[in-house]
Structure formats: C-alpha cells, structure tokens
C-alpha cells in the first residue's frame, strides 16, 4: 500500500493500471487512486472538488469539451466496452442549484433532452436522485437522464447516459431495462463534497 498516498497523475505511467482512463493524461488528473471503488471503476474527483463518483475504467474525458467556469463544470465521457459497444456520459454540474428548485432543473433537463420525461425520485443520503428513461429511438439512441440535488448545500448535477441501439423498439426497450440497475448504481455513486475548491 506504499502507493496509496501518490496521486495517479504523479505516478510513473508504467505503474498505472492498464486501462484507458489511466493511460489518458487528461482523464488521469481526475482519478484519486489506482484502487478500484468496485470492479471496473476508479475514484474520480471533479475539477471543482465538488463531488466524487465511480469512474469507468474504459472511460475517457474529452479534453476539448471540458469546461470549468464560475459555477459550472461540464464534460463528456466516452466509454468503450467490448465489441465496439459503449456509452456516452454527459455530466453538467451547477454549483448554484438550490434545494426547492428541482422542478425547474428537471424542466431544463427535459428541454435539453428534447422529449417528455417521466422522472422516478430516489431519496439518498444527503442527496436526491431523479432518473428518467430516454427513448428517442429515431436517432438509434437510448439511455437515461438523471438529476442529482445536493441536500446539504447548493449544487446539482444533470446527467445524460446514452447508448446506441439499432434493434427494434421492443429490443431497445428491453436493453434499456437491462441497463437500468447499472446506471442507477453508477448515479448513486456520486457524492457531494462538503465544500468545493475555490475557483482557480
């Protein structure tokens, strides 16, 4: 356990796990440790220090699309799995989102999705998760929209989880149902920190 104190960004690339997330210099900066949080995931800390989450081993953060400005942090994560399968995560953190304004944030998420969303509410420790299926199958895309509200401070996260589906509507619907437990488990892995870092 001698390595536990060394941040992955400062380690010799030879000593890092042989997975995409660590082989990519930009993505690596967000990873807190080479110890898995659960199989296939590593601990991630947002650039603002606002929240932690499980980060997929085969995920890459698009450096060009990364944004960290006053009150906002957003990025795309492309995750490749076996046989050209994979999914895309679009994560947007808003530090000013207050409790009691969830309805407005869910409407905003719905506007961004371009479809009507039926949200399921999941109460978690210190945060509330809202999740809805996305079935805009005309583009060959399915997935989930999620919104996580911090209950102990202001701060909220909008999430899109999208994957390709070229099958029939019925097949895609079944695929969406199968994905749900892992998507919910991943969204539940997001925990808000007590205080975000002061803006650089």
């Amino acid at each position: 356990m001698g390595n536990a104190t060394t941040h992955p960004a400062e380690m010799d690339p030879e000593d890092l796990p042989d997975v995409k997330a660590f082989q990519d210099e930009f993505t690596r900066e967000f990873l807190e440790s080479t110890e898995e949080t659960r199989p296939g995931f590593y601990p991630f800390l947002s650039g603002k220090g606002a929240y932690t989450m499980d980060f997929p081993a085969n995920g890459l953060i698009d450096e060009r699309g990364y944004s960290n400005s006053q009150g906002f942090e957003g990025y795309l994560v492309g995750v490749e799995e076996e046989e050209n399968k994979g999914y895309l995560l679009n994560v947007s953190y808003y530090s000013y989102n207050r409790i009691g304004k969830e309805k407005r944030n869910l409407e905003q998420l719905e506007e961004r999705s371009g479809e009507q969303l039926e949200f399921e509410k999941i109460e978690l420790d210190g945060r509330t998760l809202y999740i809805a299926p996305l079935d805009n199958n005309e583009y060959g895309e399915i997935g989930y929209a999620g919104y996580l509200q911090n209950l102990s401070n202001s701060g909220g996260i909008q999430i899109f989880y999208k994957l390709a589906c070229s099958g029939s509507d019925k097949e895609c619907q079944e695929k969406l149902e199968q994905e749900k437990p892992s998507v919910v488990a991943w969204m539940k892995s997001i925990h808000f920190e007590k205080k975000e870092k002061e803006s650089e």
Side-chain angles (χ1 to χ4, degrees), residues 53-96:
M53 70 181 186
D54 291 353
F55 191 87
N58 291 323
L60 290 181
I61 297 174
D62 174 20
E63 185 172 1
R64 289 182 310 258
Y66 178 77
S67 166
N68 186 349
S69 54
Q70 189 71 40
F72 175 78
E73 181 179 8
Y75 51 90
L76 292 171
V77 181
V79 185
E80 269 186 41
E81 290 173 332
E82 74 292 341
E83 310 160 39
N84 300 327
K85 286 206 313 247
Y87 55 95
L88 186 70
L89 300 172
N90 181 339
V91 185
S92 306
Y93 168 77
Y94 301 90
S95 62
Y96 302 118

Side-chain angles (χ1 to χ4, degrees), residues 27 30-32 37 42-47 51-55 61 73 75 77:
T27 304
F30 297 88
L31 302 174
E32 293 288 276
T37 48
Y42 292 90
F44 166 103
L45 176 66
S46 85
Y51 61 91
T52 57
M53 70 181 186
D54 291 353
F55 191 87
I61 297 174
E73 181 179 8
Y75 51 90
V77 181

